[in-house]
Amino acid sequence: MAKQMTGAEMVVEAFKDQGVEYVFGYPGGAVLPIYDAFFMQDKVRHILVRQEGGAAHAAEGYARSSGKVGVLLVTSGPGATNAITGLTDALMDSIPLVCITGQVPTHLIGSDAFQECDTTGITRSCTKHNYLVRRIEDLPRILHEAFYIASHGRPGPVVVDIPKDVQFATGAYTFQRNIQHKTYRPQLKGDLEHIKRAVAMMAEAKRPIFYTGGGVINSGPHAATLLRELVRATGFPITSTLMGLGAYPASDKQWLGMLGMHGSYEANHAMHDCDLMICVGARFDDRITGRVDAFSPKSKKIHIDIDPSSINKTIKVEVPIIGDCAHVLEDMVRLWRGGQRADAAALEKWWEAINGWRARDSFGFRNSTQIIKPQHAVRRLYELTKGRDLYITTEVGQHQMWAAQHFHFEEPNRWMTSGGLGTMGYGLPAAIGAQLAHPNSLVIDIAGEGSIQMNIQEMSTAMQYRLPVKIFILNNQYLGMVRQWQELLHGNRYSETYMESLPDFVKLAEAYGAHGIRCSNPGDLDDAIKEMIDTPKAVIFDCMVDQKENCFPMIPSGKAHNEMILNELGDDAGVDLGAIIDEKGKMLV
Amino acid sequence: MVKTHAAPLSPYSTAPHRSHVETHTLSVLVDNEPGVLARVVGLFSGRGYNIESLTVAEVAHERHLSRITIVTSGTPETIEQIRHQLERLVPVNSVKDLTLTVRAIERELAMIKVRGRGENRVEAMNLAEAFRAKVIDATVESFIFELTGNPQKIDDFVDLMRPLGLVEVSRTGVAAISRGPEPI
C-alpha cells in the first residue's frame, strides 16, 4: 500500500518496517526534517551520542550483540566525516550497519555549501555500498535496499546520503518484504560436490584442525550450533580468530584457544603442523598467518566463505566452498553423519602432540602479591562474572589481547572487539550499543587508559540513558602495545608512548555522575570487582597494573607459527625483544 | 627470559608462488548509475591493481546497462582476485575475463595527427593506405588519420608516423566482444 508522506517521514517509516529499535545519532542542519519526524512518533528510539564516531561504534556493538542491523543517523559534512572510522571498522569486521547522512539540498551540491562534503565519494571505499538519493521516488526502494545489502551476504555498512530537499519532498512510500535485488544475490548454499570432497578429506585426515572466524558469528547462532555438532562428531581440535571467539565454547576440551599473533602455543603449532585445515568463515588475515610462505606448509586447506573474493586472496586452498556458514555446515554435518568416521588412531596421536604443546601453558604468567598483573586482573574479572548473562567489549591494544587470552566465552555474540581495523575508542560506545540491546545483562568494556580517552565523551551518553556499563581499565600508564613494538623494533626508545597527565579516572567517573573505583593492590582486587558488578549504574574501574608487563606469547613479524616467543615463567627481568626480530621483519608491522 | 624456539623438524619450503605477469581483458556489465565508474576505478587504485586501458559506454539504454572493458595486467592470481573484487560491487551485473573464457575480438580507435610537407607527407599517406587508415582532416601541412584495429596495430602505425612528423594521438582504449553467436 502506497502512502503519501515526506522523505523525512519515509526514513522513520522504513526504520519501523525494518524493525529498528534504536537509532544512534546526532542532529544537525541537514537532518533537521528527519529529527522532526522522529519527534512525532514513539516507536523508534533515538539515542543521542556525544560524537558521531560514538554513534557508529554504538551501532556496531548493538548489531554484533543482537545479530540485527545497527542504524545511525548523522548530519552532512562533519557529521558524516566523524562517522567514517566506524564505517571502516564495520567494513573490516563485516558488521551490518545502515548509516543515514543528511546532505545539503541538491541544488547546492558541488557548490562548497556550509557543511557540505562529498559523502558518497568519501565513503565509497569504506562501505559495502552507498547511495546519494536525488529523487523522492527512489527513496523508499533505496532505504529498504540498504537494509537488505547491509545484512545479506557478507554483512557490511551501507550509507544513504539524503539531501535536505529530498527530505522535505512528498512522495509515495511502499514497503515490500523479501525484496529481490537486481544484481546483488549472494550464494547461500555451497556446491555439494565440493562439500562431499571436503568431508571425504576430513575422514582421511591424520592431523586435522578447524580454524573458524567471525563468519560463523555473522551467520547466526544456528551456525555456531552446527559448528559444535560437527566439531564434536569429528573429534577434531578447533581454534578461532579474535573475531570468532564464542562460536565454540572455550570450556570444551577440543578448544585450543585463539590463534594468531598473540594466540596460544598449541593453536599455532597445530595450525603449522596440521595436514588438513578446515577454515570456516575466516579470511587468513595477516595477524593469523604470520609469514605467508611458511604458513601451515604441510596441509591441504578447505575454505568456507560467503565472499568469493576471500578465497585464494592470500593463501591458496584446495577446496573452496562458497556459501553461508550455516548452510554449508548443515550439509557437512549431514554428510559426516551419513557414514564418515575419523581416523581414530591418527587422531589420538595428533591429540598427544597437541597436549604436549598445551603443557607449555603459553598464557601462563608469574603472578605477584605486590602488584596487579594485567592478566591476573582479567582472570579475576572472568572468574567473578562467570555464569552471568554477560557481554564483553574491548578497546585496542595489550588489554584487548589479554582479554582475548584470559577471558573465555561459551556463546556467540558475547564478545565485541575491533579486529580488522584495530580502532582505539571502540569499546565504550560498543558497550552502550550492547547494553541497549540487552538491558538486563552485565556489559563490561575491558579498556586501556589510552584507548578509553578516545571516546570518553560517550560516558555522558551512558548516563543520559541510565546504561549501567562497566569500564574496566587496565591502567599501565603506557600505550602498552606500541611500547611493546618499540621494544621489538626500535631499541626501547619509548617515543610518545608514556601517558603523562592522565586524568583521575575516579573523579572523572564522578564528574559524569557515574561511580569510580580504583584498585592497585592485588589483595583488594576481588572485592573491588564485586563492588563494580553490584553497582547498579555506570562504573569506571581504574585498575592500576604492572607497567612493564608485555603481551605473550607472540609471533614476531616475519616469523612462522612455530617460531612463537613465550613468556618464560620464573624470570621477568630484562627481556631483549629487539634481538628476536630480523631486519626484514622490522619492515613489517 | 624469552627465547625463540628451534626450527621445525620438518623442512618447509612452500616458496611464495610467483607466477608471470599476464595481460587480460575484462568485460564488466554494470548498472548505468551515477558513481559506478568511480567505484570500479577506485577499486583498482585502492587495491593497487593496474589499468592499462578502460572504456565505458551505455550498451542497453532501456535496461540502464553499461559495459566497461578493462585491460589489466597482473599474475593469474591477481587477475582472479580482481574479478572477484569487481563482482562484489553491488551495481556490477557480471564480470567476464575475455582472455580466459572466450576468443574475443578487441578493437580500438585512434586519431593520429601528423604534420609535414614534401616527401614525409607522401610517405605518411602511403603508410596510411597500407594500414587502411582514413584521412578525416587535412591542411596543406597536416593530416589527421582515423585508424581502427587491435592495439598492437595502432602502436605500429604510431611508431611509423613518429619520424614523419607525429604531433599527437588520441585513443579510445579497447572495446571487446566474443566471437560466435553467444553473448559474452
Side-chain angles (χ1 to χ4, degrees):
Chain A
M1 274 300 283
K3 272 190 286 185
Q4 290 292 313
M5 61 181 79
T6 67
E9 287 164 348
M10 285 181 191
V11 172
V12 178
E13 200 63 25
F15 287 167
K16 285 185 205 161
D17 284 339
Q18 291 289 341
V20 174
E21 296 174 284
Y22 294 105
V23 173
F24 302 90
Y26 205 96
V31 279
L32 280 172
I34 301 175
Y35 273 86
D36 200 41
F38 260 109
F39 194 78
M40 304 297 192
Q41 57 85 47
D42 54 7
K43 281 224 172 83
V44 185
R45 233 181 123 197
H46 182 270
I47 303 297
L48 179 67
V49 295
R50 295 302 181 269
Q51 205 254 22
E52 290 87 348
H57 295 316
E60 284 187 279
Y62 175 86
R64 199 151 175 91
S65 67
S66 69
K68 297 177 190 162
V69 176
V71 181
L72 59 152
L73 171 61
V74 299
T75 193
S76 63
T81 55
N82 276 343
I84 299 285
T85 303
L87 295 172
T88 314
D89 193 276
L91 183 71
M92 290 287 268
D93 285 346
S94 307
I95 314 289
L97 293 188
V98 168
C99 172
I100 308 287
T101 56
Q103 183 56 277
V104 301
T106 40
H107 72 275
L108 285 178
I109 289 177
S111 72
D112 299 323
F114 176 64
Q115 292 196 328
E116 183 192 354
C117 74
D118 176 10
T119 302
T120 45
I122 294 170
T123 58
R124 199 171 285 132
S125 61
C126 68
T127 54
K128 186 173 171 185
H129 194 49
N130 63 14
Y131 299 89
L132 170 61
V133 188
R134 288 179 174 274
R135 307 179 323 147
I136 184 76
E137 295 80 18
D138 297 330
L139 184 59
R141 172 184 59 82
I142 287 175
L143 286 167
H144 294 297
E145 246 181 51
F147 278 88
Y148 172 84
I149 288 170
S151 57
H152 285 67
R154 181 176 177 176
V158 178
V159 163
V160 182
D161 196 28
I162 312 176
K164 197 170 179 180
D165 54 330
V166 177
Q167 297 170 31
F168 276 128
T170 302
Y173 174 83
T174 51
F175 169 54
Q176 263 181 296
R177 223 167 273 283
N178 307 321
I179 59 163
Q180 275 259 329
H181 193 272
K182 195 171 98 182
T183 53
Y184 187 72
R185 292 178 191 176
Q187 184 182 334
L188 295 177
K189 287 285 279 182
D191 181 328
L192 202 59
E193 285 312 307
H194 285 219
I195 297 174
K196 278 182 185 160
R197 220 179 117 205
V199 170
M201 284 162 79
M202 284 161 63
E204 281 168 19
K206 310 282 180 219
R207 300 184 307 278
I209 187 167
F210 281 99
Y211 149 50
T212 66
V216 181
I217 315 257
N218 280 334
S219 182
H222 187 50
T225 308
L226 288 162
L227 177 72
R228 289 159 192 226
E229 268 183 55
L230 185 64
V231 172
R232 281 176 187 142
T234 56
F236 296 173
I238 174 168
T239 180
S240 156
T241 66
L242 181 72
M243 297 309 292
L245 296 178
Y248 195 82
S251 58
D252 191 274
K253 62 183 192 318
Q254 284 167 259
W255 171 247
L256 304 189
M258 176 177 79
L259 83 158
M261 185 170 272
H262 292 289
S264 78
Y265 191 73
E266 54 269 36
N268 284 332
H269 273 254
M271 285 288 278
H272 187 269
D273 282 5
C274 68
D275 71 346
L276 180 69
M277 182 184 296
I278 308 133
C279 170
V280 191
R283 60 182 178 91
F284 298 96
D285 177 90
D286 58 85
R287 302 291 102 166
I288 295 303
T289 58
R291 212 174 105 196
V292 169
D293 62 357
F295 176 72
S296 194
K298 289 164 277 188
S299 65
K300 288 208 166 22
K301 298 169 187 77
I302 298 163
H303 189 179
I304 303 166
D305 204 300
I306 200 162
D307 178 1
S309 77
S310 285
I311 310 274
N312 292 337
K313 186 165 68 179
T314 51
I315 299 291
K316 211 147 178 62
V317 299
E318 279 71 20
V319 185
I321 301 171
I322 293 161
D324 170 63
C325 288
H327 285 79
V328 176
L329 286 170
E330 190 159 18
D331 284 338
M332 282 185 133
V333 168
R334 187 172 34 94
L335 289 170
W336 184 267
R337 293 244 159 95
Q340 296 287 7
R341 206 161 293 241
D343 182 339
L347 213 51
E348 199 183 317
K349 273 179 75 182
W350 179 224
W351 273 110
E352 247 170 60
I354 290 170
N355 288 331
W357 294 317
R358 215 178 227 169
R360 301 295 296 257
D361 185 22
S362 59
F363 291 158
F365 60 97
R366 197 170 72 151
N367 212 348
S368 163
T369 51
Q370 309 301 314
I371 191 162
I372 300 174
K373 291 283 183 178
Q375 303 95 321
H376 175 68
V378 175
R379 284 192 179 186
R380 290 318 299 161
L381 185 65
Y382 170 65
E383 290 298 335
L384 294 169
T385 56
K386 217 171 178 174
R388 280 176 181 265
D389 179 14
L390 182 71
Y391 293 83
I392 296 286
T393 70
T394 76
E395 311 285 338
V396 169
Q398 285 182 324
H399 69 271
Q400 178 191 29
M401 292 298 114
W402 281 318
Q405 292 174 342
H406 300 282
F407 215 98
H408 306 293
F409 298 91
E410 300 296 309
E411 296 298 329
N413 302 95
R414 300 286 173 151
W415 161 251
M416 270 90 24
T417 193
S418 171
L421 196 64
T423 311
M424 293 170 73
Y426 168 90
L428 171 54
I432 287 172
Q435 185 80 76
L436 281 159
H438 308 279
N440 300 317
S441 307
L442 180 60
V443 180
I444 304 174
D445 171 25
I446 299 178
E449 84 290 342
S451 283
I452 192 61
Q453 292 187 82
M454 284 221 180
N455 270 324
I456 189 70
Q457 78 283 350
E458 299 308 328
M459 271 308 286
S460 181
T461 309
M463 296 315 294
Q464 179 177 349
Y465 299 98
R466 297 187 170 79
L467 302 172
V469 293
K470 316 293 187 236
I471 300 159
F472 190 75
I473 302 173
L474 298 178
N475 186 344
N476 63 359
Q477 300 175 57
Y478 274 104
L479 300 178
M481 192 57 98
V482 181
R483 184 199 63 192
Q484 185 166 341
W485 283 93
Q486 287 173 336
E487 290 173 19
L488 273 163
L489 304 176
H490 298 286
N492 299 328
R493 291 182 296 280
Y494 298 160
S495 180
E496 305 293 328
T497 41
Y498 181 62
M499 297 289 275
E500 282 183 320
S501 317
L502 284 168
D504 179 332
F505 286 108
V506 173
K507 284 189 181 154
L508 189 63
E510 285 160 5
Y512 279 113
H515 182 54
I517 300 171
R518 180 170 296 114
C519 184
S520 50
N521 183 350
D524 303 335
L525 184 60
D526 277 20
D527 285 341
I529 290 175
K530 284 179 200 151
E531 181 190 338
M532 175 183 84
I533 297 167
D534 293 337
T535 304
K537 63 177 178 177
V539 177
I540 299 181
F541 190 118
D542 190 16
C543 187
M544 307 300 293
V545 298
D546 187 349
Q547 293 193 5
K548 294 285 177 195
E549 197 69 23
N550 275 337
C551 189
F552 292 110
M554 176 179 194
I555 305 175
S557 28
K559 299 280 184 183
H561 272 175
N562 58 351
E563 297 177 282
M564 293 198 86
I565 48 179
L566 292 173
N567 192 5
E568 288 291 347
L569 300 181
D571 185 358
D572 55 358
V575 174
D576 184 13
L577 288 174
I580 288 162
I581 207 159
D582 59 20
E583 282 307 312
K584 221 173 130 193
K586 287 181 185 179
M587 301 300 289
L588 309 164
V589 177
Chain B
M1 274 296 288
V2 169
K3 70 175 188 192
T4 43
H5 288 277
L9 295 170
S10 57
Y12 50 92
S13 56
T14 42
H17 192 61
R18 292 258 175 272
S19 39
H20 58 290
V21 170
E22 296 175 356
T23 299
H24 283 229
T25 305
L26 304 179
S27 184
V28 189
L29 202 60
V30 299
D31 284 345
N32 184 13
E33 60 179 38
V36 66
L37 187 59
R39 280 181 215 285
V40 170
V41 174
L43 169 70
F44 275 73
S45 64
R47 292 187 183 265
Y49 305 141
N50 299 315
I51 297 180
E52 294 189 355
S53 94
L54 183 146
T55 62
V56 55
E58 192 172 65
V59 290
H61 179 70
E62 64 292 345
R63 284 160 63 212
H64 300 289
L65 290 177
S66 288
R67 185 178 304 285
I68 303 178
T69 307
I70 305 169
V71 180
T72 182
S73 60
T75 63
E77 293 79 20
T78 307
I79 287 168
E80 191 195 336
Q81 183 62 206
I82 292 173
R83 185 163 60 80
H84 287 316
Q85 291 292 349
L86 284 168
E87 282 167 347
R88 252 165 47 125
L89 299 177
V90 171
V92 166
N93 288 248
S94 72
V95 184
K96 289 282 157 61
D97 185 335
L98 297 180
T99 310
L100 271 189
T101 53
V102 290
R103 293 175 306 127
I105 300 177
E106 298 186 1
R107 288 291 179 268
E108 186 175 4
L109 184 142
M111 290 183 279
I112 300 126
K113 186 179 285 186
V114 182
R115 178 179 203 157
R117 288 171 186 271
E119 260 177 48
N120 279 356
R121 187 171 163 84
V122 176
E123 183 62 22
M125 202 55 197
N126 288 341
L127 285 167
E129 221 160 278
F131 273 78
R132 293 195 200 128
K134 267 199 314 195
V135 175
I136 53 173
D137 178 70
T139 68
V140 289
E141 57 164 346
S142 72
F143 285 124
I144 297 173
F145 297 115
E146 176 193 312
L147 179 60
T148 310
N150 66 46
Q152 186 58 51
K153 176 181 170 183
I154 292 169
D155 287 347
D156 291 346
F157 184 74
V158 170
D159 284 344
L160 289 169
M161 288 300 113
R162 199 156 280 130
L164 302 177
L166 180 73
V167 178
E168 63 188 0
V169 183
S170 183
R171 298 172 70 152
T172 58
V174 170
I177 200 160
S178 60
R179 287 176 196 271
E182 297 304 319
I184 290 175

